[in-house]
Amino acid sequence: MYFKTTQEHEELRAAIREWAEREIKPYAFQMDQNNEFPREQMKDFGKRGYLGLPYPTEYGGMGKDILSYAIGVEELSRVDGGTGVILSAHVSLGAYPIFAYGTEEQKRKYLVPLAKGEKLGAFGLTEPNAGSDAGGTETTAELVGDYYLLNGEKIFITNGGEADIYVIFAVTTPDIGTRGISAFIVEKGWEGFTFGDHYDKMGIRSSATAQLLFDNVKVPKENMLGKEGQGFKIAMATLDGGRIGIAAQALGIAQGAYEAAVEYAKEREQFGGPIAQLQAIQFKIAEMATKIRAARFMVYSAAELKENHEPYGMEAAMAKKYASDICLEVVNEALQVFGGSGYLKGMEVERFYRDAKICTIYEGTNEIQNVVIASHILGKAAKASSAPAKAKKKTAVTGPRKNMILKDGTAKERVERLVEALKADGHDFSVGIDINTPIGEAERVVSAGKGIGSKENMKLIEDLARASGAAIGSSRPVAEQLHYVPINRYVGMSGQKFSGNLYIACGISGAVQHLKGIKDAATIVAINNKASAPIFKNADYGIVGDVNEILPLLTAALDDGKAKKPAPPMVKMKRKARKEPAAAPVGRYVCMGCGYEYIPELGDEAGEIAPGTKFKDLPQEWICPECGEEKSSFIPAAKE
Ligand code: CAA
């Protein structure tokens, strides 16, 4: 097979390389250090048309091919992996689903400004309970009149906060698995759509990655992308293409690291000459160059297949997996060539080394790429359990909780109801522990999040801790960035774990990393002014309200004016999770041949069975759409 890029491709590469070396490279270290998004540079990049590289000119794009787009991502990543993924997430994930599935009106309204570079795009699929298992989506979109009401949260979203237009996946029909998911176009600035903290990442720090929060966001009906229930397929098809972008990003990072290593090997002298003359270094260079060449062929080939409308899902997954795997090997060897100098901040290879790792993780971990590749070769693996398992209600990160969230009544009434409930559960507020008790030993903790505001407000936390007989804790940013409490008092996955009886989270939104540190708490109480804050889903009790108002009231309600008696040794209380009502019986039938489930609400489009048709009313000649078994091979999935 002979493969060569065209002169046009190479001219484009030269133009983007020249731009990246001038506009990005000199600032890359600073952007990395400060978590700084190249806002002005991306505007300029957009004005030059590059944010619309593969889209038709009639939609404001540059009208180039997919390979040109891959070259664009590669060239940006060659100087900065973070900038590379901004382009990749915008083109492949934000704009592509609108281009491929949007109505003409949606394309005019959203694709045109995205392709022209006037707006930035993003894609919201990942959630705390839906990562590799993307079908586990829990964000919901409920049709109310002319709007869908969007509620839930998305995590790790590339371009989050910086992007103007988001393609969001949400459940429109619960309990039917992936076929109940739909896609929506959501605009930044809509009421109820907010962003969590910008993640503090190991690498690609010039790119923005944020949590998206949806609290009754009104999405007009006409912003549904594709048909209702088509969302999962849209997400999967979008990711097929997105993987070419990440493969190109990995390729670019590897290329940048390799070039730096070659240059350094020629300059650095040891044993009386440049280290490039040493066979140990020559072999490293030869290995790196070979791997990069192989990866480039795979990435460009997947891009060409997509351009020519040939099947490319497997090839894109292979390219993503291979390019990101060798990228890690290349950055490792490149840093080795640099020796001690490569280990220093400010050196490109040090940044490339950190930027590389994410490529084996996002847009489908490399383990998921293997699932995709194998399913293309061997067919879809039989599921260990059929669709009802998918429909099973996911519990919160902190496990089953009572979720009694107090929103109604005056602030005082809400506080009184909370105190009453806590006392009824057996929490004794006549006893207490020292506020400096180590978190791991504390029976109860009052913890502050960034929502507490200025440092003076820590007085509210201290007062509440004393009144409730608790130790003081915090979220990670409150200790690490704001320094309101010593570092050994932050609670979370990487901090202290709380496994006592009562955790009162004040102004903590509830990032997964924090929740993992309190999952063993017997009772979790949340006080936050955002009703959509994930902490509420993970709490037994909650008050939606301002900490400035609620904390003094709660302190007063718990303070009986007497000094606390020393708490006896802790007796771990039992959790009191809310009892879920038993699932209603449904008329679903499962194929004994392949595990396919017939769901009456959906019917069977391929077999021309209308939605709503009961299993017993299916024609006798109807066969399983997955494996061709006869109707008689089906058994009830749940009690009729
Ligand atoms: N194209 C179109 N449809 C597809 C498809 C594809 N590539 N893959 C699957 N589907 C369809 C199937 O045909 C099936 O349809 P029916 O129900 O009609 O039969 C439906 O989708 C469900 O498919 P599966 O049963 O195979 O789905 P699954 O739940 O087993 O998941 C999976 C398969 C491959 C593991 C998938 O969940 C997956 O790709 N997970 C990884 C998710 C991922 O890549 N996340 C990255 C987030 S984005 C990101 O990281 C961006 C960033 O920051 C830069």
Side-chain angles (χ1 to χ4, degrees):
M1 187 178 75
Y2 177 72
F3 181 86
K4 209 170 175 318
T5 49
T6 62
Q7 191 184 339
E8 200 186 331
H9 286 134
E10 291 312 315
E11 281 168 6
L12 178 85
R13 182 195 301 281
I16 298 182
R17 180 173 293 195
E18 189 271 322
W19 183 88
E21 297 221 332
R22 179 166 38 85
E23 300 294 334
I24 299 293
K25 193 172 174 170
Y27 310 100
F29 177 58
Q30 176 191 312
M31 296 192 302
D32 172 61
Q33 277 218 309
N34 305 340
N35 248 330
E36 210 173 282
F37 189 86
R39 216 163 283 138
E40 290 311 312
Q41 287 101 316
M42 289 323 283
K43 267 189 204 151
D44 181 58
F45 195 68
K47 278 195 191 128
R48 290 162 193 267
Y50 297 139
L51 285 174
L53 262 166
Y55 296 114
T57 46
E58 57 170 311
Y59 291 116
M62 257 189 138
K64 303 276 184 199
D65 60 4
I66 308 291
L67 179 47
S68 301
Y69 153 66
I71 289 173
V73 177
E74 179 188 343
E75 287 304 320
L76 293 186
S77 307
R78 181 179 157 273
V79 301
D80 180 44
T83 309
V85 78
I86 298 171
L87 174 63
S88 179
H90 166 84
V91 167
S92 299
L93 302 182
Y96 177 77
I98 303 176
F99 169 67
Y101 298 94
T103 60
E104 189 55 29
E105 214 182 337
Q106 288 171 337
K107 286 187 204 171
R108 294 268 154 235
K109 185 166 177 192
Y110 294 110
L111 178 62
V112 170
L114 286 170
K116 281 185 169 171
E118 294 162 357
K119 298 263 162 88
L120 195 67
F123 173 90
L125 177 67
T126 305
E127 299 185 4
N129 283 322
S132 290
D133 184 3
T137 300
E138 291 174 318
T139 294
T140 55
E142 192 193 342
L143 186 60
V144 182
D146 288 340
Y147 292 92
Y148 280 90
L149 277 188
L150 194 62
N151 280 292
E153 118 186 73
K154 299 284 172 183
I155 57 169
F156 300 147
I157 304 305
T158 304
N159 290 346
E162 295 292 334
D164 311 277
I165 296 163
Y166 296 77
V167 174
I168 301 295
F169 299 88
V171 174
T172 41
T173 309
D175 299 339
I176 59 166
T178 52
R179 278 168 277 178
I181 297 174
S182 303
F184 298 90
I185 306 172
V186 179
E187 294 180 31
K188 175 158 122 177
W190 282 355
E191 203 181 331
F193 177 17
T194 52
F195 303 96
D197 273 346
H198 188 117
Y199 296 97
D200 192 6
K201 308 187 293 277
M202 169 185 179
I204 57 160
R205 291 167 61 82
S206 56
S207 69
T209 317
Q211 185 188 21
L212 315 183
L213 298 166
F214 304 104
D215 180 14
N216 280 327
V217 179
K218 278 170 134 186
V219 181
K221 254 186 352 195
E222 60 271 19
N223 274 39
M224 177 178 277
L225 194 54
K227 294 196 194 111
E228 180 161 330
Q230 216 189 355
F232 193 73
K233 289 192 184 197
I234 295 178
M236 290 297 110
T238 301
L239 286 168
D240 282 341
R243 287 165 187 158
I244 298 176
I246 300 308
Q249 183 199 13
L251 175 62
I253 296 171
Q255 178 71 29
Y258 161 79
E259 285 179 28
V262 170
E263 208 178 305
Y264 186 77
K266 288 184 192 161
E267 275 170 17
R268 168 79 171 155
E269 297 203 354
Q270 288 287 275
F271 305 109
I275 59 170
Q277 285 173 3
L278 303 173
Q279 199 179 49
I281 302 298
Q282 290 172 347
F283 280 16
K284 285 190 196 302
I285 303 283
E287 289 281 346
M288 285 191 252
T290 308
K291 287 170 183 168
I292 290 173
R293 184 170 159 80
R296 183 166 286 116
F297 279 135
M298 291 182 81
V299 179
Y300 290 5
S301 157
E304 282 224 319
L305 288 172
K306 180 166 188 222
E307 180 64 30
N308 293 321
H309 307 289
E310 289 186 46
Y312 69 95
M314 178 179 80
E315 291 77 3
M318 285 175 165
K320 190 275 189 187
K321 178 182 139 57
Y322 184 76
S324 57
D325 278 343
I326 67 103
C327 179
L328 280 188
E329 293 165 13
V330 169
V331 293
N332 186 38
E333 287 297 52
L335 201 150
Q336 191 70 18
V337 170
F338 271 80
S341 302
Y343 200 65
L344 301 179
K345 285 279 173 197
M347 297 301 287
E348 269 189 311
V349 280
E350 185 272 339
R351 181 164 44 83
F352 287 138
Y353 187 85
R354 287 182 288 107
D355 285 352
K357 182 58 200 164
I358 191 63
C359 300
T360 67
I361 299 173
Y362 61 14
E363 292 205 31
T365 60
N366 283 8
E367 290 72 19
I368 288 294
Q369 305 310 320
N370 275 341
V371 171
V372 172
I373 296 163
S375 73
H376 278 280
I377 300 168
L378 303 167
K380 220 163 98 172
K383 292 239 161 83
S385 51
S386 56
K390 268 260 151 88
K392 205 170 66 187
K393 194 175 182 311
K394 293 259 172 51
T395 53
V397 180
T398 57
R401 295 281 163 185
K402 262 185 164 175
N403 299 128
M404 186 176 143
I405 310 304
L406 304 162
K407 294 183 197 157
D408 304 325
T410 65
K412 193 154 180 282
E413 284 161 358
R414 277 175 280 158
V415 165
E416 277 164 6
R417 273 158 54 210
L418 170 65
V419 172
E420 210 174 287
L422 291 175
K423 286 184 178 167
D425 283 352
H427 296 282
D428 176 3
F429 295 106
S430 68
V431 300
I433 55 172
D434 188 273
I435 59 169
N436 294 316
T437 307
I439 303 287
E441 293 166 23
E443 194 260 344
R444 57 189 80 158
V445 161
V446 169
S447 223
K450 273 168 77 178
I452 196 69
S454 64
K455 187 158 190 191
E456 296 78 72
N457 280 358
M458 284 304 285
K459 175 85 175 61
L460 300 175
I461 296 288
E462 262 181 57
D463 291 348
L464 179 58
R466 290 213 161 82
S468 57
I472 290 183
S474 79
S475 67
R476 183 165 177 250
V478 165
E480 211 174 74
Q481 292 164 15
L482 300 173
H483 308 292
Y484 288 180
V485 296
I487 203 80
N488 65 352
R489 301 216 73 79
Y490 89 74
V491 181
M493 206 161 138
S494 57
Q496 306 300 312
K497 312 278 182 296
F498 174 74
S499 54
N501 285 333
L502 179 61
Y503 189 79
I504 307 182
C506 311
I508 293 179
S509 72
V512 179
Q513 293 76 6
H514 186 79
L515 298 172
K516 292 236 162 117
I518 56 172
K519 65 182 176 36
D520 293 327
T523 303
I524 299 173
V525 174
I527 297 157
N528 199 299
N529 59 0
K530 250 190 216 166
S532 62
I535 189 80
F536 287 121
K537 268 198 254 153
N538 289 278
D540 297 279
Y541 302 102
I543 294 185
V544 180
D546 191 328
V547 285
N548 290 297
E549 184 184 15
I550 304 296
L551 299 197
L553 289 170
L554 187 55
T555 302
L558 291 173
D559 188 2
D560 57 6
K562 296 184 199 143
K564 301 276 173 211
K565 287 178 273 179
M570 182 172 83
V571 178
K572 185 75 189 273
M573 291 165 76
K574 268 185 123 179
R575 279 194 203 190
K576 297 181 178 61
R578 184 181 52 181
K579 293 215 171 29
E580 294 292 337
V586 285
R588 298 177 183 185
Y589 278 69
V590 174
C591 173
M592 289 194 290
C594 67
Y596 164 85
E597 191 184 40
Y598 177 76
I599 301 172
E601 295 90 315
L602 297 177
D604 166 24
E605 202 180 337
E608 295 181 356
I609 304 295
T613 309
K614 288 191 177 146
F615 184 80
K616 67 176 175 47
D617 298 331
L618 291 174
Q620 218 38 53
E621 62 278 12
W622 179 81
I623 53 165
C624 172
E626 296 269 313
C627 69
E629 282 285 343
E630 291 175 4
K631 194 180 164 189
S632 56
S633 300
F634 279 67
I635 54 164
K639 215 158 47 118
E640 278 281 78

